[in-house]
Amino acid sequence: MATVVSTAVGERTGPLDRLRALHAEGRLADAYDEVPGLLAELAAAGDPAGPPAPDLARAGQLLSRLDREEVLREHPGTETFTVAVTGHSTLNGLTAPLTAELARHSLLLKVHEGDYDSWRRDLHNTGSDVYTSGADLALCVLDAEIIFAELPHPWRVEDVQRATDGKLNLIRSLAERYVARGSGTLVLNTVPLLRSHQRRLVDARSRARLGVIWREFNAGLLRLAAVHERVHVVDLDPLVASCGPVNEPRLAAYAKVQFGEQLLAAYAREVGHLARALRGRTKKVLVVDLDNTLWDGILGDDGPDGIAAATTYRGEAFGRFQKAVAQIGSQGVLLAVCSKNDIEPVRNVLREHPDMALRETDFVQVTANWEPKDRNLLEIAQRLNLGVDSFVFADDSPFECGLVTRSLPGVAVVRLDEEPALHIERLLADGWFDVRELTSEDRARATQYRTEVARQDLMESADSMDEYLAELGVEVTLSPVRDHEIARVSQVTLRTNQFNLTTERLQQADVRALHESSDGLVLAIRSGDRFGDNGLVGAVLVSGVETDGGAESGWHIDNMLLSCRVFARGIEQACLSAVLAAARAAGAGAVYARYRPTAKNHRVRDLYPSMGFAETGESADGTVSFRHDLSDEQLPTPPAYVRLTADVGRRSS
């Protein structure tokens, strides 16, 4: 919903005008906290089935002129994100949309732009910005001229085969070099085949062979992401299909701009999704309205027989949307309903209506009442023990969308409209649920959250928390992570915010490196109870387990993390007691730990002191250091109601 901003002279302006006014007045850095909301309005104004709104790139041009240090002085909590850009063609047009897309997600961009056609040199030279800038992402933007510019004249299909084979081998070796020596994630892309290249062949058989060769080349690029954990490949084919021409021929010929503005904007949007996922900003819950959102019609007015999600012209569009929602839910996204309706008719429709592709059991929470929707969203978040900023809210009502946007700015609002054929495009346009890799725990998440209802019923029937925990029968296993669990541990570091002692985000390669190091331990926390298995719910990351001498010799707990759905069950105390006991058994002199405060992890501030750690100092950023000297005759023991199985290992300190 577009917000109207009044200027001093009473003019009505839109979000881009507001940004321009702030920039002209020199107040854009001071008002930077307004930027994500204004950019969200610009993004919502775009065609959901097409490229990002052009005004986003225009806003990015303003934002790219900001002094980053000034923004950080005015808003010290702003999270920065570093990107190194290299490629074959002229890529100056990427900076503005990339700045805007990252700012949409509250990330302040620091960009290092490479020279024209420098990609081979930059990826080979470990002294280039790609390696030395500390980039979170290294973007290597490839276009068709990396092949066709090197072909003989005239060329034949066989020449293209040799060129693509050689180029794929080169890219593969450069990717391996970056993975071995770089620090971030390398982003490659598939390469669009231009019609002007294909039509230089006059016979259909040769064109078909060229198509096969080109698709095999792109398939080889895509496979690099499956081989390397720190390589991501953006598939440009779907973007080209929605954006139109790959380039503008005159700019391509004279300025070497091989990708047009619309394609670069769509590419920047995909990079923004990836950056958000790398920083743990992936959304976890999709909350949907019902009337004119999941079905055609208004249940309260039309009755069950008057609504449709199949059998009618418009109803089929709603049915397709339901199937898309169900597809998302099958991959670990929690589904919930927030509707202004009476609850029993809603339940009857979700249970019995023949048109419904979604049933009541597909949702972890169905809320239907006449309370304000922002209040209902807060209650759903509390019931799921999740932050409301992990929610995406989809509704066809401008009023409801505006209410949630103003009241709960952390919620991603998907404004649907009267055209149900575009519901899917609007929901999927911003990749709110994108992750690097799907785990088995993701697929089981909805089932695990549904069992929370039974746990809450047990807690409400118990006379005390101790009685509830005793009847719950909590079982905990703490042991070194297994290879197939590394992706899940990485995901826990990326997505866990409340029980995260340092909020350090680790990619799979980082977890693997600590796991395989001579002095590191990655301990996976798995839990279950009488209602079922919760799977891998957390981790303890330990380093220095073989350290000798020095003022801080001993074991160092680099971080401890636990899923919010298993809070307050004694799991964290059980695991810490096991780590302390193992450290003393291994001869460690002490165990050290840190707590770095964030807006969301204040609940765990006193965890270490409660387990006998003494505070040893506090740094300028608020990070508190702790030490447990292991000298107590009686170390903390697991709570009596927790059955713990621990295999921490016995390494010498």
Side-chain angles (χ1 to χ4, degrees), residues 614-637:
E615 185 174 326
T616 59
E618 182 173 342
S619 62
D621 66 355
T623 299
V624 184
S625 300
F626 297 96
R627 182 179 188 274
H628 198 300
D629 65 10
L630 303 176
S631 61
D632 294 340
E633 293 185 6
Q634 183 65 45
L635 292 177
T637 58

Side-chain angles (χ1 to χ4, degrees), residues 229-428:
E229 294 169 351
R230 288 198 293 113
V231 175
H232 181 83
V233 182
V234 177
D235 190 350
L236 292 190
D237 281 354
L239 305 187
V240 173
S242 64
C243 293
V246 172
N247 59 30
E248 201 289 315
R250 288 164 295 186
L251 286 175
Y254 300 135
K256 310 303 180 186
V257 178
Q258 300 300 335
F259 290 158
E261 290 182 0
Q262 290 186 334
L263 183 54
L264 284 178
Y267 172 83
R269 181 169 59 186
E270 296 298 310
V271 173
H273 299 171
L274 176 60
R276 187 178 60 214
L278 291 176
R279 289 298 174 88
R281 305 282 185 84
T282 298
K283 303 293 186 178
K284 301 175 183 179
V285 185
L286 171 59
V287 184
V288 291
D289 178 41
L290 295 177
D291 294 332
N292 292 321
T293 295
L294 281 193
W295 57 60
D296 187 21
I298 300 176
L299 178 60
D301 294 342
D302 305 324
D305 294 336
I307 65 172
T311 69
T312 69
Y313 180 73
R314 279 175 56 85
E316 289 182 355
F318 288 94
R320 287 192 293 272
F321 181 64
Q322 285 198 29
K323 291 176 181 177
V325 171
Q327 175 75 17
I328 292 171
S330 72
Q331 298 168 85
V333 176
L334 304 179
L335 304 180
V337 165
C338 183
S339 172
K340 284 193 172 176
N341 263 301
D342 293 322
I343 186 63
E344 287 308 318
V346 165
R347 285 176 174 162
N348 290 336
V349 168
L350 291 175
R351 291 169 182 170
E352 301 173 5
H353 198 289
D355 285 6
M356 298 300 120
L358 286 164
R359 293 299 183 186
E360 185 179 18
T361 54
D362 292 312
F363 299 98
V364 295
Q365 179 68 32
V366 176
T367 298
N369 57 39
W370 301 96
E371 296 296 321
K373 289 197 174 182
D374 57 342
R375 184 184 305 169
N376 281 335
L377 289 178
L378 288 171
E379 291 181 359
I380 293 172
Q382 183 178 14
R383 189 164 181 82
L384 297 178
N385 200 15
L386 291 170
V388 75
D389 59 351
S390 65
F391 281 29
V392 174
F393 173 65
D395 199 303
D396 69 298
S397 165
F399 171 79
E400 302 293 359
C401 289
L403 172 68
V404 173
T405 297
R406 290 189 299 272
S407 178
L408 304 172
V411 176
V413 176
V414 177
R415 165 73 172 92
L416 306 176
D417 59 19
E418 65 280 354
E419 179 47 79
L422 294 178
H423 280 10
I424 295 174
E425 299 291 345
R426 292 192 185 281
L427 176 62
L428 302 181

Side-chain angles (χ1 to χ4, degrees), residues 530-546:
R530 60 181 283 187
F531 294 105
D533 182 14
N534 290 313
L536 195 157
V537 295
V540 184
L541 310 177
V542 185
S543 63
V545 296
E546 293 185 352

Side-chain angles (χ1 to χ4, degrees), residues 157-177:
V157 175
E158 291 78 6
D159 297 316
V160 178
Q161 180 74 75
R162 284 191 292 271
T164 54
D165 288 346
K167 201 66 67 179
L168 185 58
N169 285 332
L170 171 63
I171 295 169
R172 185 182 295 117
S173 67
L174 291 174
E176 291 171 353
R177 185 178 184 86

Side-chain angles (χ1 to χ4, degrees), residues 31-44:
Y32 193 78
D33 54 343
E34 293 184 38
V35 167
L38 294 170
L39 295 179
E41 294 178 42
L42 291 176

Side-chain angles (χ1 to χ4, degrees), residues 464-604:
S464 66
M465 181 60 70
D466 288 342
E467 179 183 328
Y468 161 68
L469 292 171
E471 293 187 20
L472 188 60
V474 178
E475 297 183 0
V476 177
T477 300
L478 181 71
S479 63
V481 66
R482 298 183 285 256
D483 283 345
H484 71 275
E485 297 172 324
I486 285 178
R488 170 60 179 161
V489 170
S490 170
Q491 186 184 77
V492 168
T493 74
L494 294 172
R495 301 182 67 176
T496 300
N497 296 304
Q498 296 182 65
F499 199 117
N500 188 334
L501 273 298
T502 62
T503 325
E504 293 175 353
R505 312 298 185 184
L506 301 181
Q507 304 306 314
Q508 291 186 40
D510 302 320
V511 177
R512 189 179 300 279
L514 179 60
H515 174 56
E516 295 177 351
S517 68
S518 61
D519 67 343
L521 283 172
V522 179
L523 302 172
I525 303 172
R526 310 168 194 88
S527 79
D529 55 43
R530 60 181 283 187
F531 294 105
D533 182 14
N534 290 313
L536 195 157
V537 295
V540 184
L541 310 177
V542 185
S543 63
V545 296
E546 293 185 352
T547 301
D548 264 333
E552 293 190 356
S553 65
W555 287 22
H556 293 253
I557 300 177
D558 297 329
N559 202 2
M560 183 174 182
L561 311 105
L562 197 63
S563 171
C564 55
R565 59 190 167 89
V566 295
F567 277 5
R569 298 180 189 173
I571 295 173
E572 56 268 40
Q573 290 84 1
C575 292
L576 269 180
S577 68
V579 170
L580 293 173
R584 185 158 75 175
V591 174
Y592 300 88
R594 292 178 297 124
Y595 164 77
R596 186 172 72 87
T598 69
K600 296 182 180 180
N601 70 356
H602 58 88
R603 293 174 60 177
V604 295

